[in-house]
Amino acid sequence: MAATIIFLLCVCVSLLSNADNVQGMARWPGGSSTRFYEFKVQTKRITKLCNTKDIITINNMLPGPVIYAQEDDRVIVKVINQTPHNATIHWHGVRQRLSCWFDGPSYVTQCPIQPGQTFTYEFTLVQQKGTLLWHAHVSWLRATVYGAIIIYPKTGVPYPFPYPYEEHIIILGEYYLRDPLQLEQAVLASGGGPPPADAYTINGHPGPNYKCSTNDVYKIDVIPGKTYLLRLINAGLNMENFFGVANHQMTVVEADAEYTKPFTTDRVMLGPGQTLNVLITANQPIGRYSMAMGPYMSARNVPFQNITSVAYFQYLGATPNSVSLPAVLPRFNDNLAVKTVMDGLKSLNPASVPKEIDKNLFVTIGLNVQKCGRKNPRQNCQGNNGGIFAASMNNITFIRPSVSLLEAYYRKINGHFTEDFPASPLRFYDFVNGAPNNAPNDTNALNGTRTYVFEYGTRVQLILQDTGTISTENHPIHLHGYSFYVVGYGTGNYNPATANFNLVDPPYMNTIGVPVGGWAAIRFLADNPGTLPGCKYMYTQYCSDESCIYS
C-alpha cells in the first residue's frame, strides 16, 4: 500500500503516515551511542521579583537540564511526572526520523503524561548537529519547563569556523508572577489576549532592571582577546526578542542547528523556538558589558513588557562593582532590524532545494474575532468589538481532539479529524490592507480538526501570508519533524510574478518568522511520516466558544 502523509494546517500543521507501509524507508536509525537522561517533572519553590511562588520545573532546575549528544546518537529520556498537572516534552527541531510517536505535542502525537505516570522518549539525532531546545508541550507549562539540546559533530569533525575558547548557552525566557496554568485558563475564559510577562529572563535571571533583582543576574567571565561561542535560544512563551552585547559585534555561524555563511551584526532577533549560534570576541577595554534582551512587538495596540533583561559579559580584571556599559537594542517595532538579520542568513554550502514542486499550498495566518455566544459577555468576550479571539490558518481554527491524532490515524479511530483542509484561502482579497477588522464585517473563523493529505515523497512549497484582520504582525511558525528551506519572503501580499526566490543557498530552518504585513515561502520534501505538527507560536491559546486552539 502506498504511504500517505497528512498535513494538518490550522493553528497546528501535522503530518500523518503509517510508517510501517513506507516502501524503501531506511531501517530504524541505530545511533552511534546512546545517551540516557531522567527528567522528573517537579514543583519548585522560588523567589523572584519580590515574590515567592511554586513553579513547575524539570529536576528542580530553571532552565532545565541540558541534553548533550553527538550527531547520530540515540537519546533516551525517561520522564516521571511528579506534579498534579498533565505534561509532555517536545524536542524542538529534532526531526524524529521514524520516531514520530516521541515528538511530544499532546493530543497530536501522544496523550499527556498524567500525574504519577512515566513515559520514555527515544529518538536518534540523524545527521543533526547544533543548538536546539526542548520544552513542555501541554498548555502554558513551557513558561518554566524548557532547556537546551546541544548536539556536537562526530568525533574528529571540526566546526566550519574558528574553534572558540569557550561555549556558553544563553536561554531567553519570560517570567510570570501568576501561575502560568491558571493564567492560561483565565485568558481562555476572558476571550481576550494574554497579559505581558512580568519580566524577561536570561538563563532564568531577570537582571538588575527589575525589582528585587540586583543580584539575580547571569554573568559570563571572559578573558581579553579570546573568542566565545554563544548558543542563543528563545524559549519564551509569546514574545519575540532582540539580543545584543554592548560595544561588541556578533558573527552568526548557525541558525536552527544548521551552519550558515558567517555574517556580522551588533544585534539579532529570535522568535520563540528559534536558535542562533554566534561568535563574539572579547576585544574591548577591560570592563563589564551588558548582554541585553528586549522586546520585538510588531502588532499594533498589544501590551508587552518593555523592561530590558540584562546579563553581564565581564572581562577578567574588571572591578567587581564596576558599572556595566549598556547595550543599545533596536526600538520595539523596528521591522527593518529584523529584516536585516534575516537577509544575512544563508546556508553555508549550496542547498538541495526542491526545484520542481508537486504541491503548492497558500496559507493565511491571522487572529480572528469570533461572535460572542457566552452567557457573560462583559467577563468572557473581551476580544475586539466584544468578541472572542481565535487564531486561524486559512480562516480555520484548530479544535483539539480528545484522542491523539497519531493514535487515531494509526488505529483507524474515526471521528477525530477530517481530511479537508483547503490548499488555499476560500476567498482572496487584500490580506494585508483590506482584511475585515471591525463590525459589522464577518471576522469569524471556521472550527475544525482538519488535515491535508500528501503522498510520501511529495515536494512541497508552502506560502505563508500574514493578514491584518486584527493587526498585522510577525508570526513565528515551527514545523515539527522537519527543517525547510526559506526560499523567499517579502512585504505586502504574495505575488508570484514579483517574488524573488533564493534557490542556491537559502537558510535551512525549523522556525520562521513570517514578516509583519508580508509573506514567507518555504520548501521541503515530505519524507518523514508521522503526526508532526507545525505550530503558530504567538496568540495560539485562545478559545472559540468552548473549544481551545491548540499549539
Side-chain angles (χ1 to χ4, degrees):
M1 183 178 70
T4 60
I5 295 179
I6 298 180
F7 204 43
L8 171 71
L9 278 155
C10 292
V11 169
C12 282
V13 185
S14 293
L15 297 148
L16 294 170
S17 178
N18 185 344
D20 294 338
N21 295 324
V22 177
Q23 298 178 2
M25 175 65 71
R27 61 191 292 274
W28 183 280
S32 299
S33 60
T34 302
R35 313 278 178 162
F36 294 92
Y37 290 89
E38 184 175 85
F39 277 19
K40 293 181 179 179
V41 189
Q42 299 173 321
T43 300
K44 176 182 175 65
R45 196 157 186 84
I46 68 169
T47 299
K48 285 189 184 297
L49 309 179
C50 310
N51 176 271
T52 300
K53 57 173 284 192
D54 290 332
I55 65 170
I56 306 302
T57 65
I58 299 295
N59 298 352
N60 283 321
M61 298 170 64
L62 178 68
V66 180
I67 296 286
Y68 288 104
Q70 283 185 292
E71 180 182 0
D72 289 340
D73 278 356
R74 175 171 286 185
V75 176
I76 297 175
V77 185
K78 181 180 180 181
V79 178
I80 305 166
N81 188 359
Q82 299 177 343
T83 74
H85 309 290
N86 288 342
T88 65
I89 303 294
H90 168 52
W91 315 96
H92 188 108
V94 174
R95 295 184 191 128
Q96 300 292 356
R97 304 296 293 183
L98 298 181
S99 55
C100 55
W101 295 96
F102 302 119
D103 190 49
S106 59
Y107 297 105
V108 177
T109 62
Q110 68 174 104
C111 291
I113 308 168
Q114 297 181 19
Q117 290 187 343
T118 296
F119 185 85
T120 300
Y121 294 90
E122 183 174 347
F123 51 86
T124 301
L125 300 166
V126 181
Q127 297 178 351
Q128 288 195 264
K129 51 188 175 291
T131 303
L132 297 171
L133 71 151
W134 58 263
H135 59 79
H137 214 299
V138 173
S139 60
W140 283 10
L141 203 64
R142 65 184 175 91
T144 54
V145 179
Y146 58 81
I149 303 173
I150 307 301
I151 312 167
Y152 291 105
K154 293 180 180 179
T155 303
V157 178
Y159 292 140
F161 47 80
Y163 202 84
Y165 178 73
E166 283 182 351
E167 301 181 6
H168 293 271
I169 299 169
I170 303 291
I171 304 184
L172 313 180
E174 295 176 87
Y175 188 80
Y176 292 83
L177 289 174
R178 291 182 63 181
D179 181 293
L181 300 183
Q182 295 178 4
L183 181 60
E184 178 202 19
Q185 293 305 312
V187 171
L188 294 173
S190 75
D198 293 289
Y200 301 125
T201 60
I202 298 177
N203 287 349
H205 302 277
N209 290 342
Y210 292 95
K211 60 182 180 181
C212 302
S213 302
T214 302
N215 297 317
D216 196 355
V217 189
Y218 181 73
K219 177 170 67 77
I220 296 175
D221 292 314
V222 301
I223 297 174
K226 300 295 185 181
T227 297
Y228 296 81
L229 179 68
L230 303 186
R231 297 179 179 267
L232 306 178
I233 299 170
N234 189 337
L237 192 61
N238 286 316
M239 281 298 297
E240 300 173 288
N241 294 99
F242 289 110
F243 177 86
V245 182
N247 293 15
H248 288 74
Q249 297 283 298
M250 297 176 290
T251 299
V252 178
V253 294
E254 178 190 300
D256 284 359
E258 293 290 338
Y259 294 136
T260 64
K261 290 182 172 64
F263 81 95
T264 301
T265 179
D266 58 0
R267 70 277 189 274
V268 295
M269 195 284 287
L270 296 92
Q274 290 186 311
T275 68
L276 289 172
N277 281 6
V278 301
L279 295 172
I280 181 169
T281 300
N283 56 8
Q284 297 298 305
I286 290 176
R288 174 187 284 178
Y289 297 84
S290 293
M291 296 188 291
M293 167 196 182
Y296 170 52
M297 172 52 72
S298 56
R300 300 183 300 273
N301 303 317
V302 174
F304 61 93
Q305 176 59 257
N306 202 29
I307 299 176
T308 301
S309 178
V310 168
Y312 296 143
F313 191 76
Q314 183 163 313
Y315 282 62
L316 184 67
T319 58
N321 296 320
S322 59
V323 176
S324 64
L325 297 173
V328 178
L329 296 178
R331 280 182 53 82
F332 72 89
N333 59 354
D334 192 339
N335 299 322
L336 180 59
V338 176
K339 181 180 183 300
T340 301
V341 174
M342 191 62 204
D343 288 347
L345 293 179
K346 311 289 183 186
S347 289
L348 179 63
N349 300 308
S352 300
V353 185
K355 302 298 193 298
E356 296 181 3
I357 299 300
D358 302 311
K359 292 290 185 180
N360 200 333
L361 279 70
F362 187 104
V363 178
T364 58
I365 307 162
L367 187 63
N368 295 61
V369 179
Q370 311 290 71
K371 291 182 180 179
C372 179
R374 296 176 175 177
K375 296 180 180 179
N376 190 340
R378 182 181 296 273
Q379 182 177 348
N380 303 123
C381 299
Q382 297 180 17
N384 288 19
N385 304 310
I388 301 167
F389 282 144
S392 72
M393 288 183 171
N394 277 355
N395 209 44
I396 296 171
T397 288
F398 180 78
I399 302 301
R400 190 184 73 184
S402 57
V403 173
S404 77
L405 294 177
L406 184 57
E407 182 177 4
Y409 178 81
Y410 187 79
R411 301 187 185 280
K412 297 179 173 58
I413 306 173
N414 295 326
H416 293 282
F417 66 89
T418 59
E419 299 179 2
D420 57 350
F421 185 89
S424 61
L426 302 179
R427 184 167 65 92
F428 278 80
Y429 53 91
D430 182 349
F431 297 113
V432 175
N433 303 300
N437 55 25
N438 53 54
N441 292 315
D442 183 6
T443 60
N444 281 272
L446 302 175
N447 297 331
T449 309
R450 303 194 185 193
T451 62
Y452 188 91
V453 180
F454 288 135
E455 291 294 327
Y456 177 83
T458 300
R459 295 163 295 187
V460 182
Q461 176 170 280
L462 178 58
I463 306 297
L464 299 163
Q465 173 70 59
D466 183 28
T467 62
T469 303
I470 300 302
S471 172
T472 56
E473 63 173 315
N474 188 288
H475 291 277
I477 300 289
H478 170 57
L479 193 61
H480 289 220
Y482 281 83
S483 291
F484 46 78
Y485 293 104
V486 183
V487 296
Y489 50 89
T491 58
N493 297 295
Y494 171 72
N495 183 344
T498 58
N500 291 318
F501 280 7
N502 174 9
L503 301 181
V504 177
D505 59 354
Y508 195 49
M509 308 179 75
N510 63 61
T511 305
I512 175 64
V514 179
V516 54
W519 56 272
I522 66 174
R523 292 186 180 185
F524 61 94
L525 181 67
D527 63 349
N528 190 16
T531 315
L532 301 169
C535 297
K536 172 183 179 295
Y537 262 88
M538 296 182 71
Y539 307 115
T540 56
Q541 299 273 353
Y542 303 147
C543 275
S544 171
D545 297 324
E546 299 305 318
S547 297
C548 297
I549 300 167
Y550 175 77
S551 72

